Amino acid sequence: MSKLTTNVALDQFTYPGSTAQQTEFAEKSVSLLAEIINHKKFLSAISTAKFSHCVLLDEHGRAQEVGNEKVIEVIQTGKEWKSTADGIVNLSINVEELKRRVVGVVYPPSPMINTNKLFFDYWLTSGDSLSLAAHWLHEWLHVAGFHHKGGAVDVNDLNYVVGKIAVEVGRSILKSTADKKSPNIGQGYLDAINNYFETVNAPSFVESDLDKSAQSSLQLAFLDLGGDSWQEQGKQYTIIPASSGKLRSLPVPESAVKALKVDVLAFYNDHLPDFLGGTKEGLFKVSINTLDPNSTAVSKNEVTVAIDFKVKDGNYAPGFLHKGIFKNVLFTDFVNLKFDLFEVDKDVDVYYDKVKKVIDSVPEMRTLDILNGIPYLNLATKLFDGIIKAFGKNADDHIWNEMPSLDIAPLLGGAFLRDGIYVIFEERNSKKEKVTTEDLQLKDKELVINGKKITRLPNHLILSVGISASSKSLS
């Protein structure tokens, strides 16, 4: 087959409220795509590629197995399904809001490629025209009549493999230009398809029901100092379940009314489910009340504090060390702490800012007498809950949702409330390895792996709890 020069045309481009910036970025990606599909390395790579599934619809909609030469022919001739080959890859693009992990979608026989605005905006911000070019080639192959096996996703079928080849060739093209690009250009497309593939092959969840979403199961543990009065530098200490009988022997104030102080010491990010990669942004909502967990009453004095962070995978987030979140919380027997962890998407920063302004506007937050009640603090909690629904639009944004009950004298299996260091950790790490308290130790205020059963630390939060006697009355 003789070599053809193939053009790429942006026949239609629709972006909500578009400016010249979006149009220029789209045109730049189209120009790069034209260079890629006419490059000898691209054609050579496709000719030798191995596809797990390579099926093309004929003019009557019948699926036919085809070989690598047919794939090259369709691309070089610009042959869209049920259209005449004209040597032009015709792109009709509509940028809109789609489900979170869906990069794009095509509804044959319509030639329209619907691209997720979230991905488009992220690639525009990072200047990653190669990711957009690879994505549009992937979707155009659907327009040309290639489809996934039985409608299911296979990461090694034609569309995905050709998209990966486009990234490899695009990188070599950009490296050879005077305007050299980052070696990570195009990684956005690769990360997006890999994350989407993992998601659709994972156990399904109901997107509208956060309690059935991708929330992680948590364990509550306690630092066993083993007789030491304080952590010694360089020494590793055992982590035990917060329900361990060892905690019973630790002293507590004898006064009827006690005051509680809670500090956050550290948050470690093993991995958050953010398809965009790189630095992860998140938000903790930490709530507290002193309602008897066996009571049917509704707490009128629950209080919320917001903590924001930015952190890369495999690192502790900055800004957590000795971060006092509750002081002078008066209680008798019970304290209930709720930990909500949200992965913050770029498009909901505005909601986070509104939440933070409400929380930061309450100066009494650090000297809180919870049982005496501060009405507008409860109002702040309700406002937070209302705004936080913006995060819940994506089922795996809400990662933690736990309400451990800490009790001076817990029921069998319950968690003790004592002075000391608590650790909340996910039961499985990003390697899908099950994590127990026996796998963890604490050294120099950070968790370390004990033994060789696991290879990565899980997401975890380290807390400091202090209990003191109070002379105040609850009446």
Side-chain angles (χ1 to χ4, degrees), residues 334-400:
F334 306 99
V335 170
N336 304 305
L337 287 170
K338 184 174 182 180
F339 300 90
D340 289 275
L341 170 61
F342 297 88
E343 180 254 311
V344 179
D345 293 326
K346 299 287 184 181
D347 60 339
V348 292
D349 282 347
V350 62
Y351 296 102
Y352 167 73
D353 288 340
K354 290 180 180 178
V355 174
K356 200 71 169 62
K357 286 178 182 178
V358 171
I359 301 302
D360 287 344
S361 68
V362 183
E364 291 83 358
M365 184 64 74
R366 291 181 178 273
T367 54
L368 163 65
D369 185 339
I370 193 171
L371 286 187
N372 285 347
I374 305 176
Y376 58 83
L377 288 183
N378 191 41
L379 177 64
T381 299
K382 291 181 179 178
L383 180 59
F384 188 112
D385 289 338
I387 298 175
I388 207 69
K389 290 179 180 178
F391 297 92
K393 66 182 180 180
N394 303 317
D396 56 0
D397 284 354
H398 194 190
I399 301 169
W400 290 9

Side-chain angles (χ1 to χ4, degrees), residues 76 103-104 110 145 149 195 232 302 416 419:
Q76 287 189 313
V103 188
S110 171
K149 186 176 182 180
N195 276 282
E232 294 184 9
E302 181 169 298
F416 287 86
D419 265 325

Side-chain angles (χ1 to χ4, degrees), residues 75-340:
I75 295 174
Q76 287 189 313
T77 61
K79 174 70 171 67
E80 288 88 13
W81 187 41
K82 293 189 175 181
S83 297
T84 304
D86 57 3
I88 303 174
V89 171
N90 298 96
L91 298 176
S92 296
I93 306 298
N94 174 48
V95 180
E96 62 177 345
E97 292 187 1
L98 299 172
K99 290 183 178 180
R100 181 173 184 269
R101 289 183 182 265
V102 176
V103 188
V105 64
V106 171
Y107 302 103
S110 171
M112 184 65 67
I113 295 173
N114 300 281
T115 293
N116 193 332
K117 183 175 180 294
L118 183 62
F119 284 92
F120 185 95
D121 290 348
Y122 181 75
W123 292 336
L124 170 61
T125 301
S126 58
D128 194 352
S129 57
L130 178 53
S131 283
L132 187 59
H135 156 61
W136 280 347
L137 177 58
H138 173 124
E139 298 300 338
W140 180 84
L141 290 169
H142 289 309
V143 174
F146 292 98
H147 66 88
H148 300 301
K149 186 176 182 180
V153 178
D154 183 339
V155 76
N156 292 314
D157 73 9
L158 169 79
N159 301 65
Y160 287 100
V161 173
V162 173
K164 291 177 182 178
I165 292 173
V167 169
E168 293 174 4
V169 175
R171 285 175 172 173
S172 66
I173 292 173
L174 293 170
K175 284 180 181 179
S176 65
T177 63
D179 182 21
K180 296 183 182 296
K181 301 293 181 180
S182 164
N184 289 325
I185 192 168
Q187 192 63 39
Y189 169 78
L190 300 178
D191 289 344
I193 62 174
N194 287 337
N195 276 282
Y196 180 73
F197 177 71
E198 291 176 1
T199 301
V200 297
N201 285 279
S204 61
F205 51 78
V206 180
E207 292 192 27
S208 61
D209 187 348
L210 291 179
D211 289 332
K212 296 179 180 178
S213 72
Q215 291 175 5
S216 300
S217 297
L218 304 177
Q219 290 290 324
L220 180 62
F222 188 82
L223 175 64
D224 184 3
L225 290 175
D228 290 348
S229 58
W230 198 252
Q231 296 181 62
E232 294 184 9
Q233 186 75 19
K235 185 175 180 179
Q236 292 189 187
Y237 291 93
T238 301
I239 301 294
I240 61 176
S243 58
S244 171
K246 288 185 177 182
L247 276 69
R248 183 186 301 275
S249 61
L250 298 180
V252 292
E254 295 182 357
S255 60
V257 180
K258 303 169 183 63
L260 179 74
K261 174 186 177 182
V262 179
D263 286 359
V264 174
L265 301 183
F267 170 68
Y268 180 86
N269 172 40
D270 167 26
H271 176 72
L272 293 180
D274 188 338
F275 58 83
L276 296 177
T279 300
K280 308 300 177 67
E281 297 184 56
L283 176 74
F284 264 106
K285 171 192 171 187
V286 186
S287 306
I288 189 170
N289 69 57
T290 58
L291 184 70
D292 183 338
N294 299 313
S295 171
T296 58
V298 177
S299 173
K300 295 182 180 180
N301 295 303
E302 181 169 298
V303 181
T304 289
V305 172
I307 306 173
D308 65 319
F309 63 87
K310 294 183 180 180
V311 60
K312 293 183 178 180
D313 287 347
N315 285 273
Y316 279 97
F320 275 76
L321 184 60
H322 301 300
K323 191 177 187 68
I325 55 174
F326 297 117
K327 291 185 178 180
N328 195 32
V329 177
L330 300 185
F331 71 100
T332 55
D333 298 305
F334 306 99
V335 170
N336 304 305
L337 287 170
K338 184 174 182 180
F339 300 90
D340 289 275

